[in-house]
Amino acid sequence: MPITWGASGQRSSRARQMGWARAWLVGIGVGTALVLVGCSSESAAQPPPPASTTTPVPTTTQTTTTPAPVTTTEVPLPPPPPPVEPPPTAEPQTTYAAIGGAYYFSSPDGLFQCGIVPLSSRVEAGCQGTTTPVPPRPDDCMINWGNGIRVTNDGPAAFMCSGGVVYTSGGETIDPPLAVGASISENGFTCTSAENGISCVDDATGHGFRIAPDSNEVY
């Protein structure tokens, strides 16, 4: 049988519809509230974000060092050395210190070695070196002959017979020369240097000699 809706039936149907609408709105509101409460609880449960820490940037202070000014001191140049003068020419010795009481010297040309020598039995003056002419060798001379002349205080001058150099101080060099015109007078004898050779004389007797490379004489 068909249902017939009357006016009361329409009102009841509209009322039911409105009730459902209100119920739906209430449900939506309750759901929204639950969602909000859940979100709020979830937000409260999360730990707070870490505090922001700011590390200070170290400040570097740059120091600028200004170099000290360089001071240049000019040292004045030393004065030039004085000119070197040649050494003075030594004056020929005219006197000689005695060596064991003897006086030794050489001729200016160095070819003869001479001396005034005191011995235990006599005093003599002589010169040794090569001269010419030379007399013949005597029979009693078995060594070098004619390599010098000497004069003693017990007789006239004579050529020498000797095995080596007698009139020397024994130094590494020849004894100092007796300059031309100079003389040595010691132990009673006088020896003189001249252009023509060396002469030695016994002051008491006058006996003596002169000797040179190319000439000689005895007296």
Side-chain angles (χ1 to χ4, degrees):
M1 178 173 186
I3 300 173
T4 302
W5 298 90
S8 58
Q10 292 180 352
R11 282 194 298 270
S12 296
S13 178
R14 186 176 297 112
R16 282 196 299 270
Q17 291 178 356
M18 292 181 64
W20 291 344
R22 281 195 298 270
W24 182 78
L25 291 175
V26 171
I28 291 177
V30 172
T32 301
L34 291 176
V35 171
L36 292 176
V37 172
C39 290
S40 176
S41 301
E42 189 175 326
S43 298
Q46 292 181 354
S52 176
T53 303
T54 303
T55 303
V57 178
T59 303
T60 302
T61 303
Q62 184 175 0
T63 303
T64 302
T65 303
T66 303
V70 178
T71 303
T72 303
T73 303
E74 293 186 1
V75 179
L77 295 176
V84 178
E85 297 181 359
T89 303
E91 293 293 331
Q93 294 181 344
T94 57
T95 59
Y96 297 80
I99 300 176
Y103 296 81
Y104 300 103
F105 60 94
S106 65
S107 62
D109 55 14
L111 296 179
F112 294 94
Q113 291 176 268
C114 309
I116 301 173
V117 184
L119 302 174
S120 59
S121 60
R122 67 180 186 272
V123 179
E124 64 182 48
C127 288
Q128 288 179 280
T130 302
T131 184
T132 190
V134 177
R137 179 194 300 268
D139 294 337
D140 60 351
C141 180
M142 305 303 294
I143 52 177
N144 294 333
W145 166 252
N147 64 343
I149 304 174
R150 66 182 162 195
V151 60
T152 69
N153 59 354
D154 62 357
F159 279 84
M160 296 176 62
C161 178
S162 63
V165 179
V166 175
Y167 304 116
T168 175
S169 63
E172 296 181 357
T173 59
I174 193 170
D175 292 300
L178 186 66
V180 173
S183 298
I184 295 177
S185 294
E186 297 292 344
N187 297 321
F189 288 80
T190 299
C191 292
T192 303
S193 176
E195 294 288 348
N196 62 348
I198 299 291
S199 299
C200 291
V201 177
D202 181 341
D203 297 334
T205 65
H207 293 300
F209 67 88
R210 181 190 62 81
I211 191 169
D214 55 358
S215 66
N216 57 73
E217 58 181 315
V218 293
Y219 47 86

